[in-house]
Amino acid sequence: MTADAATRTAAALSIGDRQIELPIVHGSDGDDAIDIGSLRAETGLITLDPGYGNTGACSSAITYLDGEAGVLRYRGYPIEQLAEHSSFLEVAYLLIWGDLPSQSQLDHFVAEVTHHTLIREEMRHFFDSFPADAHPMAVLASGTVGMSTFYPDSQNIFDADAVEVTINRLIAKLPTLAAWSFKKAVGQPYVYPRNDLGYSSNLLHMMFAVPSEDYRVDPTVAEALDLLLILHADHEQNASTSTVRLVGSTHANLYASISAGISALWGPLHGGANEAVIETLEGIVADGGNVQKWVDKAKDPNDTFRLAGFGHRVYKNFDPRAKIIRSAAERVLAATGADDRLFEIAQQLEDVALRDEYFISRKLYPNVDFYSGLIYRAIGFPTNMFTNSFAIGRLPGWIAQWREMMGSKESRLGRPRQVYVGPGARDYVTIEQR
Ligand code: CMC
């Protein structure tokens, strides 16, 4: 921001020979905004911004990102430092409660989350009733809203104690729901949580242990999963977070709001991209490994194909999460001994795309999803479980954003307007006369 922009307090808007002033709101870092709250009342006009690329939906003190400089911070802390030093549950606490916890605060939070990991036994039948090939995201979204049936206290969205227990239950139980959706798909017995394990280790245990064998969590793998969850934990007003806020703005309970966020995350333009990346890489290998051919396909204006894992609405330089994930992928592949042809292809693809004028001029760089799928794959996750894991990671961010909205004086029912372009008023025509 220029010094001039930093001191501006109002923007002038001319419409014909009328001029009005709209206040400028200053952020502590990053974008400032023109407050258009009085625009319609004063001018009869609204703004039009499909995809909301220029629209700030709220003020938020949770996550800062600078897409041009490739900066991402949670509550002020750089993602690189959190990735190196923190744990997922500590990051969850930071996002939700606003600051890094003291040791006793962290111990209390971890104990609360750990003691809520079981889901209600009746929910076993819930899993039984889905077809075996159900997509785990569908099961996770349904299971999440389904939990509100067991916890009616979650309706008390203005009761701080009820909200806190709902938060702890959600963070504790989402891995159990996710792992059981996988067990259902592979026809194995559901594995109960083990509260002596850490958060990520417990998820791995519930996914990969079977009653007939001893299963030991590989610490390198658990560490890599924890890292992925940290990198996914929040990303300001993305599609799923905006969904959580919008549903939450109706005063629906937290389970309902989070379930809606999970559904939004499922799409291949959002969290589902990590699944699409692996499908693309597998397609390239099956097609003989001709990377250039697939890059050309992505550039072809007559082909709807896009290179999944490339491009971002906000990052126009590089995605800092992708950098961290790429080196983690190298470590995990080395540790698990996975001979991964897909990793080689991914590196070639990145190389070719980053030297290609099409990608350079459109500022399309690898995003968080480009390498995350390769780590999930090396860990042993089937492709359709990747986005489930993303949802577990994003959960603290959704919760933090929901809490912030519920406590903010500026929040009101989310209800965009439209520019109507349909037919004018016309009289009903009976079916015989049509
Ligand atoms: N491959 C080929 N061309 C692309 C790609 C891509 N991955 N992404 C954007 N473009 C082109 C697009 O066709 C357009 O070209 P033109 O100007 O000639 O019409 C230009 O780049 C701008 O694209 P856009 O769709 O207007 O940009 P957007 O900000 O609306 O879209 C995006 C952002 C993430 C949806 C898009 O880059 C994309 O579809 N990427 C692939 C899916 C993906 O990786 N999604 C995960 C995003 S990060 C994690 C998350 O948010 O969950």
Side-chain angles (χ1 to χ4, degrees):
M1 190 188 359
T2 61
D4 182 31
T7 52
R8 259 184 240 138
T9 55
L13 176 68
S14 301
I15 303 159
D17 48 15
R18 244 196 102 203
Q19 199 175 57
I20 62 159
E21 289 226 322
L22 296 165
I24 290 184
V25 180
H26 294 278
S28 55
D29 227 335
D31 292 334
D32 291 338
I34 300 170
D35 177 351
I36 57 161
S38 64
L39 182 67
R40 188 168 179 274
E42 287 205 41
T43 67
L45 295 173
I46 59 169
T47 54
L48 180 63
D49 185 20
Y52 310 120
N54 303 283
T55 297
C58 59
S59 311
S60 179
I62 301 171
T63 288
Y64 172 71
L65 75 88
D66 178 338
E68 272 74 35
V71 169
L72 173 61
R73 298 185 209 127
Y74 298 160
R75 301 279 188 189
Y77 295 102
I79 191 65
E80 293 79 6
Q81 292 181 21
L82 293 169
E84 188 177 347
H85 303 294
S86 195
S87 66
F88 176 62
L89 285 185
E90 185 179 64
V91 166
Y93 185 100
L94 169 70
L95 286 167
I96 296 168
W97 302 109
D99 220 331
L100 285 171
S102 65
Q103 188 62 55
S104 65
Q105 286 169 325
L106 182 63
D107 291 346
H108 176 73
F109 180 61
V110 172
E112 282 299 310
V113 168
T114 305
H115 286 102
H116 282 290
T117 49
L118 275 177
I119 54 175
R120 287 285 289 263
E121 195 59 18
E122 296 98 311
M123 284 199 91
R124 286 180 73 102
H125 307 304
F126 166 91
F127 288 90
D128 291 341
S129 58
F130 284 113
D133 58 356
H135 196 289
M137 281 299 271
V139 180
L140 190 67
S142 325
T144 301
V145 74
M147 283 202 295
S148 62
T149 63
F150 296 102
Y151 305 110
D153 55 343
S154 62
Q155 305 293 340
N156 306 333
I157 54 171
F158 295 108
D159 174 333
D161 292 339
V163 167
E164 186 173 347
V165 77
T166 302
I167 290 172
N168 293 337
R169 280 184 179 131
L170 267 164
I171 297 176
K173 294 178 199 304
L174 213 66
T176 314
L177 289 179
W180 285 24
S181 70
F182 168 67
K183 288 299 197 191
K184 161 77 188 180
V186 291
Q188 289 179 1
Y190 305 121
V191 172
Y192 286 91
R194 263 185 52 191
N195 290 351
D196 59 322
L197 294 175
Y199 193 80
S200 294
S201 298
N202 186 39
L203 173 58
L204 291 166
H205 160 76
M206 289 189 288
M207 281 193 62
F208 299 121
V210 285
S212 47
E213 276 175 28
D214 196 24
Y215 173 77
R216 275 169 212 232
V217 177
D218 179 338
T220 314
V221 168
E223 210 177 283
L225 180 56
D226 218 60
L227 173 70
L228 288 178
L229 298 182
I230 291 173
L231 296 179
H232 283 138
D234 195 46
H235 214 231
E236 50 116 304
Q237 308 311 317
N238 56 82
S240 56
T241 301
S242 299
T243 303
V244 170
R245 278 186 177 255
L246 189 61
V247 175
S249 82
T250 70
H251 291 179
N253 70 67
L254 192 48
Y255 291 108
S257 305
I258 298 295
S259 168
I262 293 172
S263 296
L265 186 74
W266 189 0
L269 294 189
H270 192 8
N274 50 18
E275 208 176 316
V277 171
I278 296 298
E279 280 157 13
T280 302
L281 296 175
E282 283 172 346
I284 298 175
V285 171
D287 196 28
N290 186 346
V291 166
Q292 186 63 52
K293 181 176 156 193
W294 287 68
V295 169
D296 291 343
K297 189 171 156 60
K299 288 159 53 179
D300 182 351
N302 300 315
D303 194 325
T304 54
F305 173 75
R306 282 186 171 193
L307 265 192
F310 269 82
H312 197 275
R313 171 63 59 81
V314 183
Y315 291 122
K316 299 299 174 195
N317 183 339
F318 65 93
D319 181 337
R321 302 166 300 172
K323 271 196 172 174
I324 300 170
I325 288 190
R326 185 184 161 142
S327 53
E330 279 166 22
R331 282 199 306 278
V332 174
L333 289 171
T336 54
D339 163 27
D340 213 339
R341 173 94 174 102
L342 296 197
F343 188 46
E344 272 169 43
I345 293 286
Q347 287 170 310
Q348 284 174 29
L349 196 59
E350 180 180 355
D351 243 35
V352 173
L354 292 185
R355 281 187 282 108
D356 191 295
E357 184 46 32
Y358 174 96
F359 287 82
I360 295 169
S361 62
R362 287 169 180 75
K363 302 187 170 164
L364 303 172
Y365 294 87
N367 59 46
V368 68
D369 287 324
F370 191 63
Y371 285 106
S372 66
L374 288 165
I375 301 186
Y376 285 130
R377 198 166 168 276
I379 290 175
F381 278 47
T383 316
N384 66 1
M385 271 299 290
F386 295 175
T387 318
N388 256 11
S389 181
F390 191 156
I392 295 170
R394 183 55 53 88
L395 178 62
W398 287 331
I399 293 171
Q401 302 271 351
W402 179 89
R403 256 195 95 240
E404 181 176 69
M405 181 198 62
M406 295 304 290
S408 163
K409 288 201 175 63
E410 76 179 16
S411 62
R412 44 200 299 239
L413 174 70
R415 204 301 186 184
R417 287 186 179 267
Q418 64 169 10
V419 174
Y420 176 70
V421 293
R426 47 183 173 166
D427 288 326
Y428 179 76
V429 180
T430 60
I431 200 155
E432 298 77 24
Q433 290 175 315
R434 279 174 226 160

